[in-house]
């Protein structure tokens, strides 16, 4: 996991520097184009506003996948669909969004051998795959609830989402089988997930975003084996423009 944390730290530092430059720019007076849209509050969120921006996503597997880690850059687009729905402390706006991670990386233990017991009780040496897996992730369905609190800068949210992951090799790694032989996993996996986070507005219609998601990865038995990643905790740092 140490190589992952080194990569993640370097990527996070680079991304944070970009966000820092954006924050400095955001601190300057904005004389044009920052009037909130119709129905928007002082932050720029409204009943018909769009949000879009880049993010960096990274995380680790949990339980029996604690030696897995993940890292991906991405881009998200969303649209606020409703005015504020009054529900006391749960008041907020509903948003529909989606994102794409064109470079999805999973770091797993290196390929290795392990002893298994055959059905007749005989020990068998098996080869298990591993290493770095590369692919593409698309999350076309994100249902988000943006809380309508009284803060001008801090805007929390919760969400539920579902996505699809394609990898160039079958994921997650499992017992290796000859090419064309049944018994492997799948290059396609689904990623149901849920979590929360917040926008921190630097000025109207400009925010730095932080999110935490619990993500399940499973092929839904598209392959002959479906060991999956039952649980992973993934963190997201991004920058958003609101229109």
């Amino acid at each position: 996991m140490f190589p992952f944390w080194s990569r993640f730290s370097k990527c996070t530092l680079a991304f944070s520097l970009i966000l820092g430059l954006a924050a400095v720019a955001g601190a300057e007076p904005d004389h044009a184009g920052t009037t909130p849209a119709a129905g928007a509050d002082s932050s720029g969120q409204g009943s018909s506003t769009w949000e879009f921006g880049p993010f960096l996503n990274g995380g680790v597997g949990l339980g029996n996948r604690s030696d897995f880690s993940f890292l991906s850059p991405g881009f998200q687009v969303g649209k606020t669909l409703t005015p504020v729905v009054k529900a006391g402390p749960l008041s907020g706006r509903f948003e529909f969004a989606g994102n794409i991670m064109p470079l999805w990386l999973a770091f797993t233990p290196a390929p290795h051998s392990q002893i298994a017991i055959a059905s007749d009780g005989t020990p068998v040496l098996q080869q298990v795959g591993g290493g770095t897996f590369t692919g593409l992730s698309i999350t076309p369905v994100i249902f988000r609830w943006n809380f309508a609190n009284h803060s001008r800068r801090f805007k929390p949210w919760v969400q539920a989402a579902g996505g699809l992951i394609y990898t160039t090799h079958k994921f997650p790694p499992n017992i290796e089988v000859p090419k064309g032989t049944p018994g492997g996993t799948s290059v396609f996996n689904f990623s149901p997930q849920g979590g929360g986070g917040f926008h921190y507005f630097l000025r109207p219609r400009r925010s730095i975003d932080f999110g935490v998601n619990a993500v399940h990865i499973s092929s839904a038995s598209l392959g002959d084996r479906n060991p999956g990643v039952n649980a992973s905790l993934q963190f997201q740092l991004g920058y958003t423009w609101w229109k």
Side-chain angles (χ1 to χ4, degrees), residues 22-41:
V24 171
E28 297 298 323
D30 188 17
H31 299 294
T34 59
T35 302
D41 59 24

Side-chain angles (χ1 to χ4, degrees), residues 35-51:
T35 302
D41 59 24
S42 58
S43 68
Q45 286 183 312
S47 58
S48 60
T49 53
W50 287 86
E51 66 150 299

